[in-house]
Amino acid sequence: MSTTPAASAPPSPPPSPPSDGPSWPPLPAHAATDDAEAPPPGRDPAPDADAAPERVLAGALRWIDGNLEWFRPRRWEEYLPPRPFRPGPLLELLGLLRVLDREGVLPRNAALPRRALDLAAETAADPGFEGSLRRGDAYFPYHLNLVALLEHLGRPQPALRARCEALLAAGAGGHHRPYKPVLNRLELRYFLDRGGVTAPPSLPTVEALLRESVAALDPDVLQLTESETYALTHAVFYATDFGRHRLDLGTRRRTRLRETVRVLLGVHLARGSLDLLAELLLCTRALAEGPKTSPAERAGWHLLARAARPDGAVPSPVHRPEALATLTGDKAAAYLFGTCYHTTTAAALAAATLRHRPPDTLRPATGTPPPPRADPAAIRAWARRVTAQAGTAPTPLRTAWHDQLAPLLTLAVQAHDPHVLAELLTAAESLGTTAHSPAREAAALLAAWAD
């Protein structure tokens, strides 16, 4: 079928932008979503094109091993602002080590886990840790989780566990109370169940709390904030034990959640936000019905692999190479650790969980153009191309455009850009999707902006 542009009427002039104008966040250098590893037309992908997650995982573990000293709270505080829960990075590392051990990637008696567990046990033995634990404050669940993970990984702390159980029984912090945020209660219940700690009778099960969470309440993907997106990914983590178990939501809710995650994956792929990209890749596999992958999932893994530094670190959204270039010695090492450790850990976690739910292929998609990055000019060019060619485009191309549309609508709505949104809705009309979500809701917002 010919793909020659078809003649079409020019779109109606868009309404004036909001008084404060559109707001498109600056993109990191790696944010271009055109897949640099995609083969030229007519050529097969490289033989190792499926190995992007393994490259990410190997690099991340190499970097963590080389920077283990920075997980020590005292070392962190020499150059970086104190954290409310001092062993926060160390707790994330223990969670990763548990999954690596579970999935057969790195047994707990290997060199890196042994060294990390030595560090964690030393941290738990510090009088300051128990003193902080005794307060039973907002960070009590994280103290409990660190103690439980140490026990799970073969380093039990019986006195600290007894202290945790006593504080829990006394209702310290009121963390199990119904008025506490649902994600906090879901997180606590997950920690307790995983650690074999008896939960208070008033604390519902993980399954019941999941049904009250953002993940189960059909969120408006067009307007999910970053913090709400993190709440969604973590609800999926806890309810599936990081991809190990099937989500207990029922077919309809699970299908809608899978679509929400698909759109969010496209949004953060376009933005180059590696932190949420890694978390959403984990959620994508955790919710998958089978091994089939989408073009966005494949592109996401290749973006993570390309964006990783030569030393294996995966930069977070706050990492600035130009800032790092002005630093030397320990200051440079501290900056690099502080701006990379979480995203690197999240990427390694997502890669490790693929051992349990392996995808069919992660080779870059061929035959269809990639979606544009989160840049208004690139998105408008995409919309105009779709509007001009939709009537004559082959079915696979129309399907690809249809799948790319919802993330682009989300980007335009969140940037409050009526000009870009108007052109995207014209493209949606050409694709015959204006009556469906989220185009229908986006059109209503555009009309409200004009009032």
Side-chain angles (χ1 to χ4, degrees), residues 85-142:
F85 179 64
R86 295 182 68 222
L90 188 56
L91 179 59
E92 292 185 44
L93 178 57
L94 293 182
L96 171 62
L97 293 178
R98 170 184 168 269
V99 171
L100 293 172
D101 181 62
R102 182 186 76 185
E103 302 301 337
V105 176
L106 192 66
R108 68 185 70 176
N109 59 359
L112 170 58
R114 283 202 316 272
R115 292 171 56 225
L117 289 167
D118 287 344
L119 176 56
E122 175 189 320
T123 299
D126 188 308
F129 180 85
E130 184 172 4
S132 178
L133 166 62
R134 283 174 178 268
R135 286 199 292 268
D137 59 13
Y139 303 100
F140 168 62
Y142 304 110

Side-chain angles (χ1 to χ4, degrees), residues 190-248:
Y190 171 68
F191 293 164
L192 296 174
D193 290 353
R194 189 181 63 185
V197 179
T198 301
S202 61
L203 184 62
T205 64
V206 165
E207 292 76 18
L209 289 165
L210 173 66
R211 284 171 166 74
E212 299 177 31
S213 76
V214 63
L217 297 179
D218 195 18
D220 180 359
V221 71
L222 290 174
Q223 301 183 88
L224 271 181
T225 65
E226 185 174 282
S227 63
E228 289 166 340
T229 302
Y230 276 111
L232 185 149
T233 60
H234 283 69
V236 173
F237 293 168
Y238 302 146
T240 65
D241 191 11
F242 292 88
R244 192 67 175 182
H245 307 302
R246 182 180 176 84
L247 199 71
D248 183 13

Side-chain angles (χ1 to χ4, degrees), residues 299-368:
W301 276 113
H302 287 280
L303 178 57
L304 279 180
R306 290 199 310 276
R309 289 167 40 90
D311 59 9
V314 182
S316 78
V318 299
H319 179 77
R320 296 290 178 268
E322 64 276 15
L324 177 61
T326 67
L327 304 172
T328 59
D330 279 358
K331 288 185 177 180
Y335 178 84
L336 182 63
F337 185 81
T339 60
C340 291
Y341 87 88
H342 176 74
T343 305
T344 304
T345 303
L349 196 58
T353 59
L354 294 183
R355 299 292 179 94
H356 182 66
R357 292 177 177 269
D360 58 351
T361 182
L362 288 172
R363 295 187 171 203
T366 59
T368 57

